[in-house]
Amino acid sequence: MENSTWAVMEAEDPLPQWVIIVDKILFFLQSSNLVVLLLGMGAATDVKEIWHHLRRPWGCMIGVVCQFVLLPAVGFGLCIIFQLPPYQALGVLILTCSPGGAFSNFFTYWVDGDLALSIMMTAISSMVAFGAMPLNLFIYTQRWTAQQLTVPYTNILKSLVLAVVPSIAGMIIRRRRKTIAEKVKMVCGLIGWGSVGVAAVLIIVRYRQELINANPGFVGAAALVPFLGFAVAYIAAKIVCFSHKVCRTVAIETGCQNMSVALSIMFISFTDRQILGKLVIFPILYGVCQLAEIFTGIAIFHLWRYTQKRRGDNESPDDLVKMEQQQLDHNKEAEANDDVTYVVRTSVPLPTHLSQHPEQMPLQCDPEQDDLSQDASKKSFKTQQE
C-alpha cells in the first residue's frame, strides 16, 4: 500500500497511534523479508536448473494457465455460490486475478518443490499480468460493477524487480562460493520464518475486529481460494503428467497471490472509505487463511516424510528424490551429447539380456540392436522347446 494512500485515509478518519505504528512495522517487515527470503531461495538454486526450465518451459506454461485462467474462474464461482454482496465479490475477484506472490518461493522450498521453477513462475506471472489482469478484471467484474478498475502497472513492475534481483544475487553467490551460499540459505531461512511469524501475529492483532465481524460466507470464500487454487493446479499439472515435485510447485504458486498488487488496485480504483473497508477485508482474511493452510500443509508434509523414514521402507522419500534427480541428470547429459540412452525404473521383471541392474535399465533406441535382441530371444526360446 502506498504511504500517500494511508495519509489521505488518516486525514479523513485519524487512526489510533498504535495502529499507525503496527502498519509501519508490517510494511517494513513485508518489504525487507521479501528481499531476504528471495536472496536465500536464490542461494539454494543452481543456474543450470533455471536454464533447464527455460529450454523446456512446460511447467511455466501450465502454471500461467492455472494462475490466469483457472483461479479467476474459481474466484468467480465462489462469489456466485456464497452470493456475496457486490463489493465483497469485487474483493475476491481482484485478488484471484492478481499475479503470484514471491512468498510462494519460500513455501515451495519447505515442501521440497522445484525452487527454480517457482522463481521462474513468479517472474513470468508478473510479466503476463500486464495483459492478463485487465482482461480478467473486465470479464469477471461486469456482473457487479461497470466501473473500470485501474491496474497498478508500476507496482507490478516493482514486484517483478523485487522477485528477480535478490534471486539472481543469490544464484550468483551459489555459482561462485557454494559453501557461502549454504550459509546464506540457512540464515535467510531462519530470518524468514521469524519474520513471517511476527507478521502473521501483527496482522491478526491489527485487523482482529474486522476478522471477528466478517460474515461466514466471506470467511468461507477466503479459506477456499488458497485451498482450491492449490488443489485445482495440482490436479491440472498431474493430468499433464508432471512429477509430484513439479505439481507441488505449480500448486503453491497458484494458491499464493500477490496481496500488495490486489490492495493497490483497490486503493487506486476506489476513494470512498466505506467501499475500501468492504474491499480490503478479503485480502486480509485471505492472508490469514493462506498462512494457516500453508503452515499446516508444510507440517503434514514433513510429518509424512518422518513417518516414512520410521517405517523403514526400502525406498524412503529422500531416496526416491535422489533417484529421480539422478535420472534427470543422466537424461540431460544424454541429450547434451546427442545420445538417445535413457534410464527407466520399472517394477516389471525383465529378460536377462535386457536387465543390467536390478533397479535401472538403459534402453538403446537402436532398431538393429532391438532386432538382434529379439532374434536372440527367439533362438533361445526354440532351443528350450527342442
Side-chain angles (χ1 to χ4, degrees), residues 65-343:
V65 171
C66 293
Q67 187 83 57
F68 293 106
V69 177
L70 299 183
L71 191 62
V74 167
F76 182 80
L78 290 174
C79 294
I80 300 296
I81 292 171
F82 289 105
Q83 298 181 347
L84 298 179
Y87 290 112
Q88 291 186 355
L90 285 177
V92 176
L93 292 171
I94 290 172
L95 184 78
T96 53
C97 291
S98 298
F103 280 101
S104 59
N105 309 145
F106 176 66
F107 300 141
T108 298
Y109 174 77
W110 285 100
V111 295
D112 192 29
D114 192 326
L115 193 53
L117 176 60
S118 179
I119 293 173
M120 277 195 62
M121 284 181 62
T122 300
I124 292 174
S125 173
S126 298
M127 290 187 284
V128 174
F130 280 88
M133 274 195 75
L135 178 62
N136 279 327
L137 290 173
F138 174 78
I139 293 172
Y140 290 108
T141 59
Q142 294 299 310
R143 181 186 178 94
W144 290 278
T145 182
Q147 179 176 342
Q148 185 176 0
L149 301 180
T150 305
V151 177
Y153 294 106
T154 304
N155 286 15
I156 296 175
L157 186 60
K158 288 179 182 178
S159 299
L160 176 61
V161 172
L162 278 176
V164 171
V165 173
S167 301
I168 292 176
M171 285 186 277
I172 291 173
I173 294 173
R174 184 176 184 84
R175 183 77 173 176
R176 294 179 178 274
R177 296 287 188 273
K178 194 170 183 179
T179 53
I180 296 177
E182 292 297 324
K183 295 178 181 178
V184 170
K185 179 182 71 174
M186 182 181 66
V187 172
C188 290
L190 292 174
I191 295 174
W193 271 111
S195 299
V196 169
V198 172
V201 173
L202 288 176
I203 289 173
I204 293 173
V205 172
R206 166 66 174 86
Y207 297 101
R208 67 187 185 285
Q209 199 60 44
E210 288 84 352
L211 296 174
I212 293 171
N213 296 333
N215 65 66
F218 207 37
V219 176
L224 284 174
V225 165
F227 176 78
L228 289 178
F230 180 91
V232 169
Y234 192 97
I235 293 170
K238 200 60 189 171
I239 289 174
V240 189
C241 299
F242 283 117
S243 66
H244 290 290
K245 187 169 187 173
V246 172
C247 290
R248 287 196 299 271
T249 305
V250 173
I252 290 175
E253 190 68 28
T254 304
C256 295
Q257 295 300 91
N258 195 322
M259 291 174 54
S260 62
V261 170
L263 289 170
S264 298
I265 294 174
M266 296 173 186
F267 280 108
I268 293 173
S269 302
F270 299 91
T271 56
D272 187 276
R273 181 65 183 271
Q274 291 183 345
I275 294 176
L276 279 173
K278 296 176 182 178
L279 287 170
V280 300
I281 187 61
F282 183 78
I284 295 165
L285 284 169
Y286 168 84
V288 173
C289 294
Q290 180 197 68
L291 288 175
E293 291 174 16
I294 197 69
F295 286 160
T296 303
I298 291 173
I300 292 173
F301 176 78
H302 286 280
L303 180 63
W304 173 78
R305 296 186 71 173
Y306 176 76
T307 54
Q308 291 295 105
K309 292 178 182 179
R310 295 281 292 180
R311 286 178 185 174
D313 293 341
N314 292 331
E315 290 183 343
S316 67
D318 289 333
D319 294 334
L320 292 174
V321 170
K322 290 178 181 177
M323 289 179 183
E324 183 180 359
Q325 189 60 45
Q326 289 174 358
Q327 292 169 15
L328 289 173
D329 293 340
H330 174 85
N331 292 340
K332 289 177 191 176
E333 291 176 2
E335 290 170 359
N337 297 328
D338 293 330
D339 194 352
V340 288
T341 302
Y342 294 91
V343 175

Side-chain angles (χ1 to χ4, degrees), residues 3-15:
N3 292 334
S4 58
T5 305
W6 283 114
V8 172
M9 294 177 65
E10 290 172 18
E12 294 177 357
D13 186 11
L15 296 171

